[in-house]
Amino acid sequence: GIDVFWLGESHFRPQRAVLASPLIMASALAARTKRMRVGIAVQVLPLANPVRVAEEAAMVDQISDGRLDFGVGRSSFLESYQGYNVGYEESRPLFFESLEIIQKAWGDGPFSYEGKHYQFHDVDVVPKPFQKPHPPIRVAVESRDTFRLMGRLGFPIFIRYQMSVSEIQDLLGQYQEERHGAGFPGPN
């Protein structure tokens, strides 16, 4: 009776349940279920090599016969960045480069990428995801400016409840306005 089971990445927080690799757990769940979708909520993109993430997520999508929902974010838990020796001030540019690379990696054939943080030349991720063009991507939003930005980019979003309901309603209105203004219809 469960439609989707969401797994969140967490590091170095012993007071909370720690799941260092949601894609490994997603693989185990996908192999043991037939209908339930398996969601990542979220893969913290700035903490991992994006080509490796693309490969692993594609494998989970294959194992699940296309039941992966791929949620991504930056995370605001600084101990994760400190533990991996990644500067949080670089999290936004790392996130966007990683997201672009993953989408390119899931395309047909090899790809190349030249960015500030990553460079890849004629890399061909195999296997490709089961779902075409790729698993649904959902982005976690936490900072207020990210709502509008993700609306313009058309991504469905996750929200961690941490502000007043009226402020969330206002931010969701901004998100929806930007989303529709950029020509993205449908559910968010």
Side-chain angles (χ1 to χ4, degrees):
I2 297 174
D3 295 322
V4 63
F5 192 90
W6 294 96
L7 302 161
E9 182 176 351
S10 180
H11 303 278
F12 318 118
R13 303 184 83 211
Q15 69 276 20
R16 295 177 55 112
V18 174
L19 181 56
S21 180
L23 286 169
I24 290 174
M25 183 63 78
S27 179
L29 286 172
R32 289 168 173 81
T33 60
K34 299 284 184 222
R35 295 182 310 272
M36 181 180 74
R37 293 193 66 78
V38 181
I40 306 300
V42 299
Q43 181 77 40
V44 182
L45 294 186
L47 300 182
N49 182 296
V51 171
R52 181 65 180 246
V53 171
E55 289 174 321
E56 292 177 1
M59 289 295 300
V60 172
D61 200 46
Q62 285 290 335
I63 290 167
S64 71
D65 291 329
R67 292 181 289 124
L68 177 66
D69 288 326
F70 190 63
V72 297
R74 293 188 301 141
S75 179
S76 62
F77 301 123
L78 296 182
E79 54 275 325
S80 297
Y81 285 86
Q82 293 162 350
Y84 279 108
N85 198 28
V86 175
Y88 190 73
E89 65 281 355
E90 291 296 314
S91 68
R92 188 177 291 262
L94 280 166
F95 171 83
F96 282 108
E97 279 194 28
S98 295
L99 183 57
E100 185 177 350
I101 291 164
I102 290 166
Q103 290 175 293
K104 286 179 179 284
W106 286 343
D108 295 329
F111 78 97
S112 295
Y113 181 86
E114 288 289 331
K116 177 181 175 189
H117 299 282
Y118 298 107
Q119 296 79 42
F120 298 102
H121 305 284
D122 296 319
V123 176
D124 196 0
V125 166
V126 290
K128 300 297 183 189
F130 184 91
Q131 298 176 82
K132 301 300 177 204
H134 53 70
I137 298 172
R138 183 177 297 265
V139 179
V141 294
E142 191 165 314
S143 61
R144 284 150 181 85
D145 59 328
T146 307
F147 282 81
R148 283 187 174 277
L149 177 59
M150 288 305 128
R152 277 192 299 277
L153 296 176
F155 286 104
I157 58 174
F158 287 113
I159 303 168
R160 182 169 58 131
Y161 178 70
Q162 62 180 10
M163 53 190 81
S164 71
V165 172
S166 62
E167 185 172 12
I168 290 173
Q169 288 173 326
D170 180 55
L171 291 168
L172 286 173
Q174 294 173 32
Y175 164 81
Q176 195 73 353
E177 179 183 316
E178 293 291 332
R179 182 176 167 84
H180 289 150
F184 294 101
N188 59 7

